[in-house]
Amino acid sequence: MMPRPFAEVASVGVAVPPNVVTNDDLSRVLDTSDQWIVERTGIRERRIAGPEQSVAMLSQEASQRALAAAGVGADELDAIVVATVSPDRLMPSTACDLQALLGAERAAAFDIGAACPGYIFALTVAEGLVASGQGETVLVVGAEKLSTITDFQDRSTAILFGDGAGASVVRRSSGPGRGILSTFIKSDGRLAPLLLRPGGGSADPISEKVVCERSHYMKMAGREVFKAAVLAMADACDEALRRAGVTADQVDLLVPHQANLRIIEATAKHAGLPMSKVMVNLDRYGNTSSASIPLALEQALAEGRIGPGSVVLLVAFGAGFTWGSAVIRW
Ligand code: ACO
């Protein structure tokens, strides 16, 4: 087998709904304030999709941009991996809807549920498909319509989440040393009760009771999640760097999951990276779960903060609990 890097991230494309909801908009319907939200999270606004914009449609827009940027046709895709916790339907997968929208007839298409690190988990799967010779070109998507699973009567979660999609073409590495240098993924299912949607699945199918109890919406023990996220993201940074044989001072940009500015600052501090080397855009989009890292990556590319040869460290944490990291040489 060829040595690593097997695969590279050839492009990133994104899509967000046009509708901007500010903290002030939320404070008109919830007992909260712009000041509280900015001080505790760093979030200023988020995008909320309307009923006419599905996760598959957001994914299609992001994917078409990623395909165009990589100069790849949808008919060249061997696989489509969509990471989402807010699929359009429970069956079939959003990836299959996306395949039909793109006309990617050759591709195998499937979803993975890994919450906020979903893009990193999907990248890991894509790299594995390329490394094992099962595909040359894989589309990785992180896409969410979290507004449909957020309880807008619960101020502790309603302020956090937003909608959006990001996509990347992952293909065989085009040059020595260029591409995914390492990935690290991990989970601890014992901690699932701290962040979950208790109702609406097969354990407690949708019913009048579920709707009355509002148990089809996300529930989160914020403080516990916060503490676990800080520890896990610190460990994940160390692990991805160790596996890549890269030291922190060789990292050009840290692109962390955009959940909370305080978590991001703690992660950067642990990794020994100044905030000038950290991509932050949660002020514009809030926490978009699996879309968060590609949304941040795309902005970093557009701003010229990532260019050919840049060493980029990705890290994320979310429901499951799940966490993961990756080092990429662009
Ligand atoms: N506005 C005003 N006050 C609020 C709000 C709000 N929106 N929400 C909570 N409060 C109050 C609480 O009621 C509490 O009041 P009390 O002291 O009188 O009891 C006080 O503010 C402090 O509440 P905490 O929950 O302790 O606030 P904290 O500083 O922990 O911030 C937050 C809460 C922002 C949710 C934080 O815990 C957090 O970011 N957690 C991690 C979330 C995360 O990273 N999730 C990642 C995974 S998401 C996924 O996988 C989809």
Side-chain angles (χ1 to χ4, degrees):
M1 190 182 282
M2 301 271 291
R4 226 168 176 166
F6 308 114
E8 66 185 25
V9 177
S11 63
V12 187
V14 300
V16 290
N19 179 33
V20 176
V21 174
T22 65
N23 292 345
D24 283 335
D25 292 332
L26 288 178
S27 58
R28 277 191 275 279
V29 291
L30 278 171
D31 180 15
T32 189
S33 66
D34 176 59
Q35 191 190 354
W36 192 95
I37 300 171
V38 172
E39 278 176 14
R40 293 294 182 131
T41 71
I43 297 165
R44 293 182 185 275
E45 58 186 45
R46 69 288 291 142
R47 302 298 181 98
I48 302 292
E52 73 294 345
Q53 209 165 17
S54 66
V55 175
M57 287 159 73
L58 283 167
S59 302
Q60 179 192 15
E61 211 180 310
S63 300
Q64 282 169 338
R65 290 188 178 130
L67 289 166
V72 167
D75 56 349
E76 294 173 67
L77 294 174
D78 298 306
I80 298 174
V81 188
V82 175
T84 185
V85 287
S86 48
D88 290 325
R89 295 183 300 258
L90 291 179
M91 189 178 78
S93 67
T94 300
C96 283
D97 287 339
L98 175 60
Q99 175 189 25
L101 288 170
L102 293 173
E105 283 165 27
R106 278 178 48 191
F110 57 96
D111 288 0
I112 60 169
C116 301
Y119 177 84
I120 294 174
F121 275 61
L123 214 55
T124 307
V125 170
E127 187 201 22
L129 290 171
V130 172
S132 62
Q134 294 185 76
E136 287 283 321
T137 311
V138 180
L139 183 68
V140 163
V141 179
E144 306 287 0
K145 206 170 153 183
L146 295 179
S147 57
T148 60
I149 60 168
T150 298
D151 186 350
F152 283 98
Q153 292 181 11
D154 174 5
R155 69 175 181 173
S156 69
T157 54
I159 56 146
L160 299 173
F161 301 109
D163 301 335
S168 288
V169 171
V170 175
R171 64 181 171 203
R172 190 167 291 286
S173 175
S174 62
R178 179 167 191 246
I180 300 170
L181 303 184
S182 70
T183 62
F184 166 69
I185 52 173
K186 205 165 173 200
S187 312
D188 187 347
R190 292 170 301 180
L191 302 172
L194 296 173
L195 175 52
L196 79 171
R197 282 177 73 198
S202 54
D204 193 6
I206 199 77
S207 64
E208 204 179 328
K209 174 187 84 70
V210 166
V211 174
C212 287
E213 289 171 351
R214 307 179 78 74
S215 66
H216 54 309
Y217 291 128
M218 282 184 279
K219 313 282 174 203
M220 179 170 76
R223 227 171 289 184
E224 285 76 8
V225 175
F226 186 101
K227 283 185 221 153
V230 168
L231 291 174
M233 283 171 68
D235 181 54
C237 286
D238 292 347
E239 194 55 34
L241 291 173
R242 190 186 66 75
R243 290 181 184 195
V246 164
T247 55
D249 58 317
Q250 293 173 305
V251 172
D252 295 301
L253 195 68
L254 169 65
V255 181
H257 171 48
Q258 307 285 311
N260 186 309
L261 185 58
R262 292 181 292 142
I263 296 175
I264 292 174
E265 286 169 347
T267 304
K269 191 172 172 201
H270 173 88
L273 290 165
M275 285 305 286
S276 58
K277 284 190 169 186
V278 182
M279 185 63 210
V280 176
N281 69 353
L282 87 172
D283 50 320
R284 300 172 65 196
Y285 301 122
N287 179 348
T288 56
S289 193
S290 64
S292 138
I293 287 197
L295 280 173
L297 268 178
E298 194 271 346
Q299 190 174 325
L301 283 159
E303 291 173 358
R305 298 183 72 183
I306 299 175
S310 297
V311 175
V312 181
L313 172 60
L314 312 181
V315 64
F317 176 89
F321 289 160
T322 50
W323 61 100
S325 50
V327 176
I328 300 170
R329 184 173 294 111
W330 222 265

